């Protein structure tokens, strides 16, 4: 069985796959991270950032992560997703399906990676890209969202 840490390290590469297999020198990639939570970010973020580093992406060098943290306020997610688009992110990593749904409503062209599905949004969760012509993929595990 795939361990959560291994999956999250791998998602770093998956989130960046539309940008190329390995980081290219001279270009700064922009990733949007959309979450219902606030600071501090979950501890597995360190594993995700390490996965990005393992693939040649490092914040401040060739990677800019736009952090959009809603601090528990669901109603902020749609505006935060739209704001990420204004910042020209190349991929949106949504911590939960609540963020994934907000991102999906905001764009049909930017890839969306959803890390976990909230049990409160069963019917609205993003679908896997290859089957349903959307750019959302990657449900991790059901859990209850605040």
């Amino acid at each position: 069985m795939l361990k959560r840490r291994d999956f999250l390290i791998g998602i770093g590469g998956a989130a960046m796959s539309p940008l190329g297999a390995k980081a290219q020198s001279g270009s700064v990639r922009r990733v949007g991270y959309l979450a219902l939570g606030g600071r501090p970010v979950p501890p597995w973020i360190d594993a995700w950032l390490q996965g990005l580093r393992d693939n040649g992406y490092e914040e401040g060098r060739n990677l800019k992560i736009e952090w959009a943290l809603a601090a528990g306020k669901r109603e902020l997610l749609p505006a935060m997703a739209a704001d990420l688009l204004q910042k020209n992110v190349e991929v949106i990593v949504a911590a939960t399906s609540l963020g994934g749904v907000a991102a999906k409503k905001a764009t049909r062209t930017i890839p969306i990676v959803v890390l976990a599905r909230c049990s409160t949004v069963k019917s609205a969760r993003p679908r896997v890209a290859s089957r349903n012509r959307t750019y959302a993929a990657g449900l991790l595990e059901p859990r209850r969202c605040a």
Side-chain angles (χ1 to χ4, degrees):
M1 186 169 165
L2 185 65
K3 292 183 180 177
R4 182 178 176 139
R5 178 178 167 83
D6 295 336
F7 176 82
L8 292 169
I9 289 170
I11 202 70
M16 300 305 289
S17 64
L19 311 176
K22 288 282 184 182
Q24 297 178 8
S25 62
S27 62
V28 176
R29 301 301 190 169
R30 299 177 82 81
V31 175
Y33 178 81
L34 181 61
L36 180 59
R39 295 259 184 225
V41 294
W44 51 260
I45 289 292
D46 291 334
W48 178 59
L49 294 173
Q50 182 60 51
L52 290 169
R53 284 190 293 275
D54 291 348
N55 282 282
Y57 294 97
E58 190 171 342
E59 246 188 312
R61 186 173 56 88
N62 61 354
L63 176 67
K64 170 68 175 152
I65 299 176
E66 298 291 350
W67 300 94
L69 307 174
K73 299 178 182 174
R74 294 178 191 210
E75 66 277 7
L76 296 179
L77 290 172
M80 294 178 112
D83 185 53
L84 288 175
L85 298 178
Q86 294 298 315
K87 293 178 179 179
N88 296 318
V89 298
E90 297 171 69
V91 62
I92 295 175
V93 177
T96 65
S97 59
L98 293 171
V101 168
K104 183 180 171 192
K105 288 179 181 177
T107 183
R108 296 272 185 218
T109 58
I110 296 175
I112 303 163
V113 177
V114 181
L115 299 180
R117 178 178 62 85
C118 299
S119 60
T120 57
V121 237
K122 292 177 185 165
S123 63
R125 72 177 186 256
R127 295 180 177 96
V128 177
S130 63
R131 290 192 211 138
N132 298 296
R133 298 177 193 226
T134 67
Y135 287 90
L139 300 178
L140 178 58
E141 65 184 35
R143 64 184 174 95
R144 188 93 172 134
C145 294

